[in-house]
């Protein structure tokens, strides 16, 4: 990737660090997240124009709490500390931090001085989002208070002479009014970034890099699922190397209604991209027979997918494997503080590059999901694919609670299709972030016609979210829900009851398994 002006984000373990990067990128400035131990080695990179120290769950006094390296502290560029990052910055430069009488969590009213550089353009009073257990009780020499709340006397601090800034609240979350403006001010005004980050530029760079990596006679294979990431990746690589891209679409029998047909026909006929469709429905179903545990479902689906894809890839041939890995995948698979998470094997064709001696191409690896969608629109990807709701890697298997059978999948597939059709017809699909049906492993008594029934239950789930880290249940119109329920019970044999999930995330997750 071209060397863009960069804001380096040192991640101290906050659950919303990715939002800092997204907000800064929305201001046209590239932001990159690194673990504390890697930051010192990147400080001297001339593209680094500023540093953000993220929040985190630790106290600065905890044993083993992540620290701030002297190299970072002595950086020639502006530094912004957020929550834990602010407390660490203050403590390391001569201030004092103490445990608060009680943890502050939620909205607070911020007031600030008109002379604040960081809060330039803010109203004198605004709402911010707090989440901290420690508080600053004194500032280091040269640093002054410019913002405060009732419970946080040092809510915003500045040391303009040393170009150091700190906020006790979280500007990256949507609950903070004008938070995106603060991060843009830091990146553009304080750090002096011109704003050279755009998807149009990224498209050109990714195409150039792909052409440079792939020789003139080499073939590239990729797994095409029809999801946003794999679809954009396929279009981008095809734009770079043409028909030397060979897509493999695996029909695992766990897809939504007509999905396999629509994906294959769209990419073959509309985009003229070679696609080999593999019908592996029976193999996947046989591997899932008798399995109810969701993690065992994932394991078997992942292993079977690798097996099927490997067979198809050997038939097609090729030296390179293109994957739709995006930036959050890479962040979540590395250790920031504590034990590393593992990318699920079904997500990115896990293990195949090593097993088949394939060289990896990941043209989306620096992008967040919203950037991938923007890139897809620029490449001409149909809006039905660009705006597609997230779909789990194991497909309907983790929305079919209990054992997965062909009969139960067909019931779920039909119910899900009705729900999505009515959402589209009413215009609610575009206003929701993710919506789907779940088949429950229970049966209930009902009355249909003149007879008693004992049949299955469908749960409907629809959420609204900006980042999928938190989500609220969708307040869908009652007449819409009634119409969906009536159609499902009337048209899908085997269902006599429909319920609607009104649980937010947290405490629930978006998916049921």
């Amino acid at each position: 990737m071209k060397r863009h002006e960069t804001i380096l984000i040192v991640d101290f373990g906050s659950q919303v660090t990715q939002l800092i990067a997204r907000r800064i990128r929305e201001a046209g400035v590239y932001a990159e997240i690194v673990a504390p131990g890697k930051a010192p080695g990147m400080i001297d990179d001339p593209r680094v124009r500023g540093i953000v120290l993220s929040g985190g769950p630790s106290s600065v006094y905890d044993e083993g709490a992540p620290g701030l390296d002297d190299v970072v502290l002595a950086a020639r560029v502006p530094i912004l500390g957020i929550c834990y990052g602010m407390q660490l910055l203050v403590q390391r430069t001569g201030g004092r931090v103490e445990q608060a009488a009680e943890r502050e969590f939620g909205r607070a009213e911020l007031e600030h001085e008109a002379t604040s550089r960081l809060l330039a353009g803010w109203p004198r009073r605004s709402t911010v989002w707090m989440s901290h257990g420690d508080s600053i009780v004194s500032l280091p020499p040269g640093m002054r208070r410019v913002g405060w709340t009732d419970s946080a006397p040092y809510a915003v601090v500045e040391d303009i002479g040393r170009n150091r800034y700190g906020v006790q609240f979280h500007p990256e979350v949507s609950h903070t009014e004008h938070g995106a403006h603060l991060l843009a001010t830091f990146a553009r005004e304080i750090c002096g970034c011109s704003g050279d980050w755009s998807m149009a530029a990224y498209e050109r760079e990714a195409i150039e890099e792909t052409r440079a990596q792939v020789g003139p006679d080499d073939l590239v294979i990729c797994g095409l699922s029809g999801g946003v990431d794999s679809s954009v990746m396929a279009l981008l690589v095809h734009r770079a190397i043409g028909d030397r891209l060979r897509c493999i679409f695996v029909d695992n029998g766990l897809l939504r209604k007509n999905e396999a047909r629509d994906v294959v026909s769209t990419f073959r006929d509309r985009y003229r991209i070679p696609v080999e469709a593999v019908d592996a429905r029976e193999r996947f179903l046989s591997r899932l027979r008798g399995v109810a545990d969701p993690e065992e479902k994932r394991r078997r689906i992942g292993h079977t997918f690798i097996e099927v894809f490997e067979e198809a890839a050997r038939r097609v041939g090729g030296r390179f494997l293109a994957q739709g890995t995006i930036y959050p995948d890479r962040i979540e698979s590395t250790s920031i503080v504590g034990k590393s998470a593992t990318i699920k094997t079904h997500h990115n064709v896990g293990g195949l590059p090593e097993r088949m001696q394939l060289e990896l191409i990941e043209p989306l690896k620096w992008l967040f999901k919203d950037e991938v969608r923007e890139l897809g629109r620029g490449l001409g990807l149909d809006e039905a694919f660009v705006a597609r709701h997230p779909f789990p890697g194991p497909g309907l298997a983790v929305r079919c609670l209990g054992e997965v059978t062909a009969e139960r999948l067909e019931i779920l597939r039909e119910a899900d299709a009705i729900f999505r059709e009515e959402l589209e017809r009413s215009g609610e699909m575009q206003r929701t972030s993710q919506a789907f049906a779940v088949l429950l492993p229970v049966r209930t008594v009902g009355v249909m016609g003149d007879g008693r029934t004992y049949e299955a239950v469908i749960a409907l789930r629809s959420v609204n979210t900006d980042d999928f880290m938190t989500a609220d249940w969708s307040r869908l119109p009652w007449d819409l829900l009634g119409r969906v329920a009536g159609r499902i019970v009337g048209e899908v044999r085997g269902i006599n009851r429909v319920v609607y999930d009104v649980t937010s995330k947290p405490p629930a997750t978006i998916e049921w398994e």
Side-chain angles (χ1 to χ4, degrees), residues 14 16-17 19-21 23 55 82 169-174 176 179-180 183:
S14 169
V16 290
T17 297
L19 291 182
I20 304 173
R23 299 290 178 256
I82 295 175
F169 56 88
H170 286 272
E172 67 272 29
V173 301
S174 58
T176 294
L183 292 170

Side-chain angles (χ1 to χ4, degrees), residues 208-426:
E208 290 172 4
E209 289 189 4
T210 301
R211 287 172 177 164
Q213 184 178 1
V214 180
D217 300 318
D218 289 322
L219 293 179
V220 177
I221 58 175
C222 81
L224 177 66
S225 69
V228 178
D229 301 336
S230 75
S231 298
V232 174
M233 180 269 297
L235 276 186
L236 185 65
V237 175
H238 188 254
R239 184 75 55 90
I241 64 170
D243 288 348
R244 287 184 291 124
L245 172 69
R246 299 286 195 274
C247 293
I248 298 171
F249 177 85
V250 176
D251 183 356
N252 58 14
L254 306 172
L255 305 174
R256 290 169 286 201
K257 186 175 182 178
N258 298 328
E259 191 161 25
R261 180 199 67 190
D262 293 345
V263 171
V264 173
S265 63
T266 297
F267 280 83
R268 277 180 180 169
D269 301 337
R270 178 168 179 179
Y271 300 119
R272 305 296 181 186
I273 296 177
V275 180
E276 174 165 334
V278 181
D279 185 351
R281 290 175 291 180
E282 289 300 323
R283 193 187 308 193
F284 277 89
L285 279 176
S286 68
R287 302 285 173 82
L288 291 169
R289 189 169 294 123
V291 178
D293 178 73
E295 287 308 310
E296 182 63 17
K297 289 180 187 178
R298 287 186 168 88
R299 190 188 69 80
R300 294 193 182 199
I301 291 168
H303 288 176
T304 305
F305 181 84
I306 290 175
E307 178 184 299
V308 172
F309 189 92
E310 184 176 13
E311 292 170 4
R314 290 194 186 282
R315 289 195 302 271
V316 172
R319 176 186 161 195
F320 296 88
L321 173 67
Q323 289 191 164
T325 309
I326 64 175
Y327 195 47
D329 298 333
R330 300 170 63 231
I331 297 170
E332 289 160 7
S333 67
T334 58
S335 179
I336 300 300
V337 178
K339 186 178 179 181
S340 299
T342 301
I343 298 178
K344 294 170 184 173
T345 54
H346 63 258
H347 186 90
N348 281 323
V349 198
L352 275 175
E354 295 81 10
R355 288 169 59 136
M356 300 180 64
Q357 291 80 51
L358 295 172
E359 190 174 334
L360 203 57
I361 297 174
E362 296 175 300
L364 310 181
K365 66 183 179 181
W366 299 106
L367 303 184
F368 287 104
K369 179 75 77 173
D370 52 342
E371 294 173 316
V372 174
R373 295 185 195 278
E374 184 182 347
L375 178 61
R377 290 187 177 96
L379 289 165
L381 183 63
D382 189 280
E383 190 65 23
F385 287 91
V386 172
R388 202 171 207 184
H389 284 186
F391 188 62
L396 296 181
V398 291
R399 293 177 179 174
C400 183
L401 277 57
E403 184 181 5
V404 180
T405 66
E407 180 185 10
R408 298 189 76 224
L409 283 171
E410 193 57 30
I411 290 172
L412 174 57
R413 194 174 283 118
E414 291 298 322
D416 183 74
I418 289 171
F419 187 30
R420 290 187 295 116
E421 181 182 314
E422 291 294 341
L423 286 171
E424 290 280 7
R425 186 176 295 165
S426 66

Side-chain angles (χ1 to χ4, degrees), residues 3-8 29-30 42-52 75-80 163 186-196:
R3 298 173 67 83
H4 292 272
E5 299 169 327
T6 299
I7 302 297
L8 206 62
V29 178
Y30 178 68
M42 302 179 69
I43 297 302
D44 291 334
D45 190 326
R47 69 178 182 150
V48 174
R49 303 296 175 85
I51 299 168
V52 175
R76 56 181 170 72
V77 296
I79 298 176
L80 169 64
N163 249 340
F186 178 73
R188 298 293 293 267
E189 305 300 327
I190 294 175
C191 298
C193 294
S194 61
D196 63 353

Side-chain angles (χ1 to χ4, degrees), residues 6-27:
T6 299
I7 302 297
L8 206 62
I9 301 170
V10 183
D11 185 5
F12 292 115
S14 169
Q15 295 296 306
V16 290
T17 297
Q18 290 186 31
L19 291 182
I20 304 173
R22 288 180 58 195
R23 299 290 178 256
I24 292 174
R25 290 190 187 189
E26 287 167 3

Side-chain angles (χ1 to χ4, degrees), residues 419-432 476-477 479-481 483-484:
F419 187 30
R420 290 187 295 116
E421 181 182 314
E422 291 294 341
L423 286 171
E424 290 280 7
R425 186 176 295 165
S426 66
E428 290 293 333
M429 182 68 88
Q430 292 70 37
R431 291 189 280 270
T432 62
L476 296 178
D479 59 341
L480 170 61
L481 289 172
R483 190 163 58 249
V484 172

